[in-house]
């Protein structure tokens, strides 16, 4: 469902303490505050994944989710799958 909203600005960008994972992919779990075009604010959860070692990855990959604006729960309730 498209609510006609847009992100007007983003601030309070922060990174959660990275887990000491022993995997081939570097993961950074982050959050920010988004100010929406209707004047309200919402939390944004996002994940930055780095190039995988010994694979064909050619750069960084970012996925994001605005909490409360994921009606199909692609990232689980409250964008949980993009949080540590």
């Amino acid at each position: 469902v498209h609510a006609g909203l847009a992100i007007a600005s983003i601030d309070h960008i922060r990174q959660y303490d990275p887990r000491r994972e022993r995997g081939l992919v570097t993961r950074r779990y982050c959050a920010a505050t988004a100010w929406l075009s209707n004047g309200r604010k919402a939390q944004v959860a996002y994940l930055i994944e780095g190039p995988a070692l010994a694979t064909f990855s050619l750069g960084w990959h970012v996925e994001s989710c605005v909490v409360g604006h994921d009606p199909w729960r692609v990232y689980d309730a409250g964008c949980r799958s993009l949080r540590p």
Side-chain angles (χ1 to χ4, degrees), residues 17 23 37 40 43 65 71 80:
D17 291 333
S37 57
R40 295 183 183 205
Q43 185 178 14
C65 175
R80 249 188 325 199

Side-chain angles (χ1 to χ4, degrees), residues 1-72:
V1 176
H2 186 272
L5 293 175
I7 295 176
S9 66
I10 294 179
D11 60 13
H12 296 98
I13 299 167
R14 58 207 174 275
Q15 178 177 326
Y16 294 109
D17 291 333
R19 295 180 178 183
R20 300 290 179 215
E21 297 182 39
R22 297 283 182 202
L24 297 175
V25 179
T26 301
R27 288 185 178 88
R28 295 180 184 172
Y29 295 92
C30 305
T33 301
W35 291 93
L36 305 177
S37 57
N38 64 359
R40 295 183 183 205
K41 67 179 179 177
Q43 185 178 14
V44 178
Y46 61 101
L47 168 66
I48 304 170
E49 290 182 321
L53 300 174
T55 66
F56 297 105
S57 178
L58 295 175
W60 294 87
H61 175 76
V62 178
E63 292 193 43
S64 64
C65 175
V66 179
V67 177
H69 297 277
D70 182 17
W72 296 286

